Amino acid sequence: MTTLDKQRRKKLQALVDKDYYYRSYFDDDIEVQSTGKCGHGVFAVRQFLPGELVMEVTGQLIPKKAYVGSEYVMDLDEDWYLEPSTPGAFMNHSCSPNCELVQLTEFSLGVVAICNIEPETQLTFDYAWEAFDWNPKCQCGARNCRGWVVAEDQVKKMKQMAKDQKKKSR
Ligand SMILES: [Zn+2]
């Protein structure tokens, strides 16, 4: 998985700040469009450089203790989930993502570019879900697609669950 560690992200952000000045996230830098096959997605309007903040994701905070299972929640911190409002809610998963999430403030997540992103590119991050008892089949189309929208270390478990389910439904 291509993820930026903290130090590298900091370095890249410093480079971006120095060479391109700081371009803070601006609403018009991204837009929600139809993806054709996967409902709606969030697309870049301008170029983003590695380490750059692409957008802020805000929404409803849900205590993890009270979680009843929406498929859209994101991990905010140890105790809280963030149920993103738009446009964050429209961000799709990819097994080969171009963004990753960082905690930006106490109440929000930041979407950070982990590679060069050209305008008109769909913005994606790795949902890295745990294996579920329903089949979140992945349609990201990446060469290294895991087949399901689950974390890399959950693929084996997901495969087994899918097999068991098939047996049951027979
Ligand atoms: Zn995939």
Side-chain angles (χ1 to χ4, degrees):
M1 201 168 62
T2 43
T3 50
L4 291 176
D5 59 62
K6 261 188 196 148
Q7 213 179 355
R8 192 162 148 69
R9 187 182 303 127
K10 218 170 153 189
K11 247 188 198 166
L12 281 163
Q13 186 63 60
L15 200 75
V16 168
D17 291 350
K18 183 171 145 270
D19 292 349
Y20 303 93
Y21 305 103
Y22 183 66
R23 293 183 295 184
S24 61
Y25 154 66
F26 186 60
D27 279 342
D28 291 346
D29 289 345
I30 52 145
E31 62 182 15
V32 175
Q33 283 176 25
S34 167
T35 60
K37 58 172 180 146
C38 298
H40 284 79
V42 183
F43 290 76
V45 169
R46 66 159 170 92
Q47 183 192 31
F48 288 98
L49 298 162
E52 212 180 338
L53 181 65
V54 173
M55 63 187 251
E56 184 179 10
V57 180
T58 55
Q60 195 188 348
L61 299 180
I62 304 167
K64 286 193 172 171
K65 272 186 261 169
Y67 180 56
V68 282
S70 147
E71 31 185 299
Y72 292 112
V73 293
M74 299 169 171
D75 256 325
L76 181 68
D77 60 26
E78 252 170 56
D79 300 321
W80 295 89
Y81 285 119
L82 177 68
E83 180 149 26
S85 45
T86 56
F90 287 114
M91 262 190 95
N92 284 315
H93 160 90
S94 173
C95 298
S96 179
N98 52 20
C99 295
E100 86 170 20
L101 299 179
V102 295
Q103 187 169 2
L104 200 64
T105 69
E106 209 181 325
F107 310 107
S108 68
L109 293 166
V111 177
V112 176
I114 54 174
C115 59
N116 179 52
I117 301 173
E118 296 293 332
E120 293 303 303
T121 309
Q122 186 179 179
L123 303 167
T124 54
F125 70 98
D126 188 342
Y127 286 7
W129 282 344
E130 279 178 40
F132 286 101
D133 53 0
W134 51 278
N135 278 0
K137 278 264 163 67
C138 186
Q139 301 185 323
C140 76
R143 190 177 289 196
N144 63 345
C145 181
R146 297 169 212 144
W148 284 280
V149 185
V150 295
E152 232 158 345
D153 59 0
Q154 296 283 307
V155 172
K156 222 171 148 188
K157 195 174 162 196
M158 192 66 238
K159 272 186 184 157
Q160 191 55 49
M161 277 172 129
K163 232 194 221 167
D164 293 348
Q165 247 164 19
K166 233 186 198 168
K167 262 188 229 160
K168 252 186 246 162
S169 65
R170 246 181 233 154

